[in-house]
Amino acid sequence: MALLQTIPKRLAVDEIQHLNAQFPLGSNNGWQSFAWETIDQNAGVQVTLFVAVPGTYICIHIDTQVIHHRVKARDILRDNYRKLYGDLRGLHVVGYCDVKHREAYDAMRNAFTVMDKARTLGEWTNIAPGEKGWEEAKHRNPFIIGMEKLLDENAEEMGHAFISKVWFIFEAGTKGSGGSVDHDLHMKIELMR
């Protein structure tokens, strides 16, 4: 069984600037100089790197494949937020930085293509359940599906929250194989009660 430990980790200046640009905290002073790292003590590998303030949890990196014992990303999020803030009732936004998961990327790209809203690459846009493109956004997207499962499995503790919107942005990217351009994807899942 995986033995997970969460410890502070210092962020580089460019990482803090990126977080402040893509996931601003509004009236707060912005993200500070450290994040939290969850490591598998048995394997000695990083499982996730995240930042959090009350109400907001931003996942910078997550890879549950490095753990020999199956652990769900949503369970790590739940446990980490509980350790920091006591319960999940105050959680309002879950963000994902630089999404690398191909199916999630494809799902959001497909949603972006069919949405009825004005949208521009390089600008945040959002989609809500029931809107045109929602099914495409959700299709095989572990971030949205996982959040729905987290909300269902912890309904009482989460104050019967539900997904109100998913915000996402495709930033200018780099040329991939075959000359295609992959854009960096960031996502924010907004919860309401």
Side-chain angles (χ1 to χ4, degrees), residues 23 48-51 57-62 77 94-98 143:
F23 300 95
T48 187
L49 180 67
F50 69 97
V51 292
Y57 181 102
I58 306 296
C59 183
I60 300 169
H61 165 81
I62 186 144
L77 181 160
V94 175
Y96 297 95
C97 221
D98 298 324
F143 301 106

Side-chain angles (χ1 to χ4, degrees), residues 131-145:
E131 289 182 349
K132 186 172 182 181
W134 177 254
E135 289 306 313
E136 287 81 358
K138 192 174 150 182
H139 180 72
R140 298 179 64 120
N141 186 331
F143 301 106
I144 295 174
I145 295 168

Side-chain angles (χ1 to χ4, degrees), residues 33-159:
S33 62
F34 73 93
W36 296 94
E37 175 181 44
T38 302
I39 58 171
D40 179 343
Q41 290 183 305
N42 294 331
V45 294
Q46 182 187 72
V47 178
T48 187
L49 180 67
F50 69 97
V51 292
V53 294
T56 303
Y57 181 102
I58 306 296
C59 183
I60 300 169
H61 165 81
I62 186 144
D63 184 0
T64 59
Q65 306 263 338
V66 299
I67 307 172
H68 298 295
H69 177 73
R70 175 87 170 119
V71 177
K72 296 174 184 153
R74 66 182 180 267
D75 293 339
I76 294 171
L77 181 160
R78 180 198 63 218
D79 294 347
N80 284 338
Y81 196 83
R82 272 184 190 155
K83 283 177 196 171
L84 292 173
Y85 303 111
D87 67 38
L88 301 170
R89 198 170 297 274
L91 183 60
H92 299 286
V93 176
V94 175
Y96 297 95
C97 221
D98 298 324
V99 172
K100 304 291 186 222
H101 192 281
R102 192 73 222 179
E103 289 173 331
Y105 183 92
D106 290 345
M108 297 314 294
R109 187 187 63 220
N110 292 339
F112 186 82
T113 302
V114 302
M115 290 171 60
D116 283 334
K117 298 178 181 180
R119 63 214 182 278
T120 305
L121 282 174
E123 294 180 11
W124 283 97
T125 190
N126 67 72
I127 189 165
E131 289 182 349
K132 186 172 182 181
W134 177 254
E135 289 306 313
E136 287 81 358
K138 192 174 150 182
H139 180 72
R140 298 179 64 120
N141 186 331
F143 301 106
I144 295 174
I145 295 168
M147 180 55 64
E148 288 180 332
K149 289 181 179 179
L150 176 72
L151 295 170
D152 184 52
E153 293 165 359
N154 301 278
E156 190 70 32
E157 182 181 359
M158 295 206 66

